[in-house]
Amino acid sequence: MHKYITALVQNRKSKMLAVNCMPDHIHLFVGFKPTILISDFVKEIKVESNEFINSKNWMRGKFNWQEGYGVFSYSHSHLDTVVKYVLNQEVHHQRKTFRQEYLTLLEKFEGPFEERYLFDFID
């Protein structure tokens, strides 16, 4: 899955800096050119990876990513820290659930909270 999603990112003229798939979510750390619309990028990655996952029959029934997503921006000086964070998700989630992690990030970045996207999260 990591290789497939990395190829999707690269096909969109972006650079995959780190990727990690967890059972209930995925982290992508991507370098973008300023001409890329992030909403279109995320939509295309989700649609194509949905099709890939369903073609492999990895899930019982039909797989779909949830509707929402979060995007957070980091400066170049934080690259190493964020790469390590993404690659160490298994350890990180032994201390904090995905729901807790996401709410913390929204608070840190003063992002909008939309309850309708949070109900899908598994704790």
Side-chain angles (χ1 to χ4, degrees), residues 58-75:
W58 287 341
M59 311 293 286
R60 279 182 275 175
K62 186 174 170 146
F63 175 81
N64 279 303
W65 295 108
Q66 72 176 42
E67 186 179 334
Y69 61 90
V71 176
F72 306 95
S73 179
Y74 287 90
S75 68

Side-chain angles (χ1 to χ4, degrees), residues 14-26:
S14 298
K15 183 176 181 178
M16 179 67 80
L17 301 171
V19 58
N20 199 343
C21 297
M22 298 299 294
D24 59 350
H25 67 284
I26 185 170

Side-chain angles (χ1 to χ4, degrees), residues 38-48 69:
I38 293 175
S39 59
D40 290 345
F41 177 89
V42 171
K43 178 182 176 184
E44 292 168 7
I45 296 294
K46 289 170 87 170
V47 166
E48 290 188 38
Y69 61 90

